[in-house]
Amino acid sequence: MQKNIEIVLSPLLLPLVDLKGKTVVVIDILRATSTICAALDNGALSVTPVVSVEEALQYDKSDYLVAGERNGQKAEGFDFGNSPAEYAPSLVKGKKIVLTTTNGTKCIHASLDASEILVGSFYNLARLSEYLSDRDNGVVLFCSGWKNRVNLEDTLFAGYLAQSLSETHIWDSDEVELALSLVNKAQFDPVEYLRNASHAKRFARLGNHTDLPLCMQFDKHPVLVKYKGGKLVSSY
Ligand code: 3SL
């Protein structure tokens, strides 16, 4: 049976889509969902996504690593920021993490009506595609964007994932066509294609020249990440 695939380009558009019975893949390539995949693949026990800095700071630091950012920078009083580079196995193995980010963690909470919530990034593209191909229900690819605006990197990734599902899924959606057209443009050098993305420019202003290429590595952390009981956990 062929299943439907939809793309939500920004959180503001989420109310237009019925999530019931569907699998949602939350996408925040730069950088929340990349970081979540890296942390879990590097041995973290769980990542608890929370909406506010205040909420994250309420977690007991003897039990949790407190992590996240606001406007791209580590929030005050936090142990970690939001770069996958920070989450080395030696630092996160066996640890529980609480994470809050400007866009990505909010989108996970906004998806609670879905029957299943997964996390997508270039790091786990093939694993995600394999899993979704075997499922019977419809899929919503939810791009976190930036403060409710559409962004290139999440839309591009949604295009790669939709392309990889083209034999098992169908769509009647200009959003999917748009995302696929970005894949066509970026095909041979997605990192170069994203150099003009607003988030790439934001990173450059912050002196961060490493996280764009770092987050664009295909299948570096082939982990299936599911939201269960308020936490994101890995399932291989
Ligand atoms: O918005 C988010 O969730 C973050 O990923 C943004 S940043 O890349 O850490 O600036």
Side-chain angles (χ1 to χ4, degrees), residues 25-47:
V25 180
V26 176
I27 301 165
D28 185 356
I29 298 304
L30 299 174
R31 296 165 292 179
T33 55
S34 302
T35 293
I36 292 163
C37 291
L40 290 172
D41 192 42
N42 285 343
L45 292 179
S46 61
V47 177

mmCIF file of all heavy atoms in Angstrom, residues 25-47:
data_model
loop_
_atom_site.group_PDB
_atom_site.id
_atom_site.type_symbol
_atom_site.label_atom_id
_atom_site.label_comp_id
_atom_site.label_asym_id
_atom_site.label_seq_id
_atom_site.Cartn_x
_atom_site.Cartn_y
_atom_site.Cartn_z
ATOM 1 N N VAL A 25 8.139 13.464 11.482
ATOM 2 C CA VAL A 25 9.598 13.566 11.599
ATOM 3 C C VAL A 25 9.926 15.034 11.814
ATOM 4 O O VAL A 25 9.687 15.868 10.932
ATOM 5 C CB VAL A 25 10.304 13.064 10.323
ATOM 6 C CG1 VAL A 25 11.824 13.186 10.487
ATOM 7 C CG2 VAL A 25 9.898 11.637 9.996
ATOM 8 N N VAL A 26 10.427 15.368 12.998
ATOM 9 C CA VAL A 26 10.809 16.760 13.289
ATOM 10 C C VAL A 26 12.229 16.976 12.764
ATOM 11 O O VAL A 26 13.128 16.168 13.002
ATOM 12 C CB VAL A 26 10.715 17.060 14.802
ATOM 13 C CG1 VAL A 26 11.209 18.475 15.099
ATOM 14 C CG2 VAL A 26 9.277 16.889 15.281
ATOM 15 N N ILE A 27 12.388 18.098 12.042
ATOM 16 C CA ILE A 27 13.663 18.382 11.354
ATOM 17 C C ILE A 27 14.176 19.753 11.782
ATOM 18 O O ILE A 27 13.473 20.761 11.632
ATOM 19 C CB ILE A 27 13.425 18.401 9.820
ATOM 20 C CG1 ILE A 27 12.873 17.054 9.342
ATOM 21 C CG2 ILE A 27 14.711 18.774 9.077
ATOM 22 C CD1 ILE A 27 12.271 17.107 7.942
ATOM 23 N N ASP A 28 15.375 19.772 12.328
ATOM 24 C CA ASP A 28 16.045 21.055 12.605
ATOM 25 C C ASP A 28 17.539 20.820 12.364
ATOM 26 O O ASP A 28 18.305 20.585 13.296
ATOM 27 C CB ASP A 28 15.777 21.500 14.043
ATOM 28 C CG ASP A 28 16.364 22.874 14.318
ATOM 29 O OD1 ASP A 28 17.036 23.441 13.430
ATOM 30 O OD2 ASP A 28 16.174 23.381 15.428
ATOM 31 N N ILE A 29 17.887 20.850 11.080
ATOM 32 C CA ILE A 29 19.240 20.445 10.683
ATOM 33 C C ILE A 29 20.300 21.283 11.402
ATOM 34 O O ILE A 29 21.311 20.765 11.870
ATOM 35 C CB ILE A 29 19.384 20.564 9.139
ATOM 36 C CG1 ILE A 29 18.407 19.612 8.443
ATOM 37 C CG2 ILE A 29 20.831 20.333 8.693
ATOM 38 C CD1 ILE A 29 18.525 18.166 8.841
ATOM 39 N N LEU A 30 20.078 22.588 11.476
ATOM 40 C CA LEU A 30 21.007 23.499 12.179
ATOM 41 C C LEU A 30 20.279 24.042 13.413
ATOM 42 O O LEU A 30 19.593 25.034 13.317
ATOM 43 C CB LEU A 30 21.437 24.627 11.245
ATOM 44 C CG LEU A 30 22.187 24.216 9.970
ATOM 45 C CD1 LEU A 30 22.433 25.410 9.071
ATOM 46 C CD2 LEU A 30 23.495 23.538 10.308
ATOM 47 N N ARG A 31 20.477 23.333 14.587
ATOM 48 C CA ARG A 31 21.252 22.149 14.737
ATOM 49 C C ARG A 31 20.593 21.117 15.656
ATOM 50 O O ARG A 31 21.171 20.068 15.927
ATOM 51 C CB ARG A 31 22.599 22.528 15.394
ATOM 52 C CG ARG A 31 23.495 23.446 14.567
ATOM 53 C CD ARG A 31 24.604 24.076 15.373
ATOM 54 N NE ARG A 31 24.055 25.041 16.335
ATOM 55 C CZ ARG A 31 24.788 25.738 17.204
ATOM 56 N NH1 ARG A 31 26.101 25.573 17.231
ATOM 57 N NH2 ARG A 31 24.232 26.599 18.043
ATOM 58 N N ALA A 32 19.397 21.447 16.175
ATOM 59 C CA ALA A 32 18.856 20.633 17.264
ATOM 60 C C ALA A 32 18.744 19.147 16.928
ATOM 61 O O ALA A 32 19.176 18.296 17.707
ATOM 62 C CB ALA A 32 17.502 21.179 17.706
ATOM 63 N N THR A 33 18.166 18.823 15.760
ATOM 64 C CA THR A 33 17.949 17.390 15.507
ATOM 65 C C THR A 33 19.256 16.684 15.128
ATOM 66 O O THR A 33 19.399 15.481 15.356
ATOM 67 C CB THR A 33 16.831 17.156 14.466
ATOM 68 O OG1 THR A 33 17.123 17.867 13.255
ATOM 69 C CG2 THR A 33 15.488 17.615 15.012
ATOM 70 N N SER A 34 20.225 17.447 14.591
ATOM 71 C CA SER A 34 21.547 16.846 14.343
ATOM 72 C C SER A 34 22.213 16.534 15.685
ATOM 73 O O SER A 34 22.783 15.455 15.888
ATOM 74 C CB SER A 34 22.431 17.811 13.536
ATOM 75 O OG SER A 34 21.803 18.138 12.316
ATOM 76 N N THR A 35 22.127 17.483 16.592
ATOM 77 C CA THR A 35 22.737 17.299 17.920
ATOM 78 C C THR A 35 22.094 16.133 18.672
ATOM 79 O O THR A 35 22.795 15.330 19.310
ATOM 80 C CB THR A 35 22.593 18.613 18.720
ATOM 81 O OG1 THR A 35 23.415 19.586 18.070
ATOM 82 C CG2 THR A 35 23.027 18.458 20.158
ATOM 83 N N ILE A 36 20.780 16.031 18.581
ATOM 84 C CA ILE A 36 20.081 14.938 19.279
ATOM 85 C C ILE A 36 20.552 13.579 18.738
ATOM 86 O O ILE A 36 20.858 12.653 19.505
ATOM 87 C CB ILE A 36 18.550 15.102 19.127
ATOM 88 C CG1 ILE A 36 18.074 16.334 19.911
ATOM 89 C CG2 ILE A 36 17.809 13.847 19.572
ATOM 90 C CD1 ILE A 36 16.687 16.845 19.529
ATOM 91 N N CYS A 37 20.652 13.458 17.412
ATOM 92 C CA CYS A 37 21.125 12.190 16.823
ATOM 93 C C CYS A 37 22.557 11.892 17.265
ATOM 94 O O CYS A 37 22.891 10.752 17.614
ATOM 95 C CB CYS A 37 21.066 12.249 15.292
ATOM 96 S SG CYS A 37 19.392 12.278 14.634
ATOM 97 N N ALA A 38 23.417 12.926 17.263
ATOM 98 C CA ALA A 38 24.822 12.713 17.652
ATOM 99 C C ALA A 38 24.902 12.280 19.112
ATOM 100 O O ALA A 38 25.618 11.320 19.452
ATOM 101 C CB ALA A 38 25.623 13.993 17.422
ATOM 102 N N ALA A 39 24.174 12.962 19.986
ATOM 103 C CA ALA A 39 24.249 12.648 21.420
ATOM 104 C C ALA A 39 23.783 11.215 21.694
ATOM 105 O O ALA A 39 24.437 10.467 22.429
ATOM 106 C CB ALA A 39 23.394 13.644 22.212
ATOM 107 N N LEU A 40 22.675 10.817 21.065
ATOM 108 C CA LEU A 40 22.148 9.473 21.334
ATOM 109 C C LEU A 40 23.037 8.402 20.703
ATOM 110 O O LEU A 40 23.283 7.358 21.307
ATOM 111 C CB LEU A 40 20.699 9.364 20.845
ATOM 112 C CG LEU A 40 19.707 10.195 21.680
ATOM 113 C CD1 LEU A 40 18.323 10.203 21.026
ATOM 114 C CD2 LEU A 40 19.598 9.665 23.115
ATOM 115 N N ASP A 41 23.546 8.673 19.518
ATOM 116 C CA ASP A 41 24.433 7.689 18.893
ATOM 117 C C ASP A 41 25.749 7.583 19.657
ATOM 118 O O ASP A 41 26.387 6.524 19.659
ATOM 119 C CB ASP A 41 24.689 8.069 17.432
ATOM 120 C CG ASP A 41 25.354 6.937 16.670
ATOM 121 O OD1 ASP A 41 24.946 5.768 16.865
ATOM 122 O OD2 ASP A 41 26.293 7.205 15.899
ATOM 123 N N ASN A 42 26.138 8.660 20.311
ATOM 124 C CA ASN A 42 27.385 8.634 21.093
ATOM 125 C C ASN A 42 27.170 8.099 22.504
ATOM 126 O O ASN A 42 28.060 8.192 23.340
ATOM 127 C CB ASN A 42 28.009 10.034 21.131
ATOM 128 C CG ASN A 42 28.660 10.377 19.798
ATOM 129 O OD1 ASN A 42 28.913 9.510 18.987
ATOM 130 N ND2 ASN A 42 28.920 11.659 19.571
ATOM 131 N N GLY A 43 25.984 7.566 22.766
ATOM 132 C CA GLY A 43 25.780 6.829 24.007
ATOM 133 C C GLY A 43 24.954 7.497 25.083
ATOM 134 O O GLY A 43 24.771 6.919 26.166
ATOM 135 N N ALA A 44 24.433 8.710 24.816
ATOM 136 C CA ALA A 44 23.550 9.321 25.826
ATOM 137 C C ALA A 44 22.326 8.417 26.016
ATOM 138 O O ALA A 44 21.844 7.794 25.064
ATOM 139 C CB ALA A 44 23.116 10.712 25.370
ATOM 140 N N LEU A 45 21.821 8.349 27.236
ATOM 141 C CA LEU A 45 20.673 7.482 27.513
ATOM 142 C C LEU A 45 19.392 8.064 26.955
ATOM 143 O O LEU A 45 18.535 7.342 26.443
ATOM 144 C CB LEU A 45 20.495 7.314 29.029
ATOM 145 C CG LEU A 45 21.560 6.535 29.777
ATOM 146 C CD1 LEU A 45 21.222 6.497 31.258
ATOM 147 C CD2 LEU A 45 21.678 5.128 29.210
ATOM 148 N N SER A 46 19.252 9.381 27.073
ATOM 149 C CA SER A 46 18.013 10.029 26.614
ATOM 150 C C SER A 46 18.266 11.523 26.466
ATOM 151 O O SER A 46 19.202 12.069 27.063
ATOM 152 C CB SER A 46 16.882 9.801 27.623
ATOM 153 O OG SER A 46 17.228 10.375 28.870
ATOM 154 N N VAL A 47 17.418 12.142 25.658
ATOM 155 C CA VAL A 47 17.410 13.607 25.549
ATOM 156 C C VAL A 47 15.976 14.047 25.824
ATOM 157 O O VAL A 47 15.054 13.677 25.094
ATOM 158 C CB VAL A 47 17.852 14.089 24.148
ATOM 159 C CG1 VAL A 47 17.762 15.608 24.061
ATOM 160 C CG2 VAL A 47 19.274 13.616 23.821
#
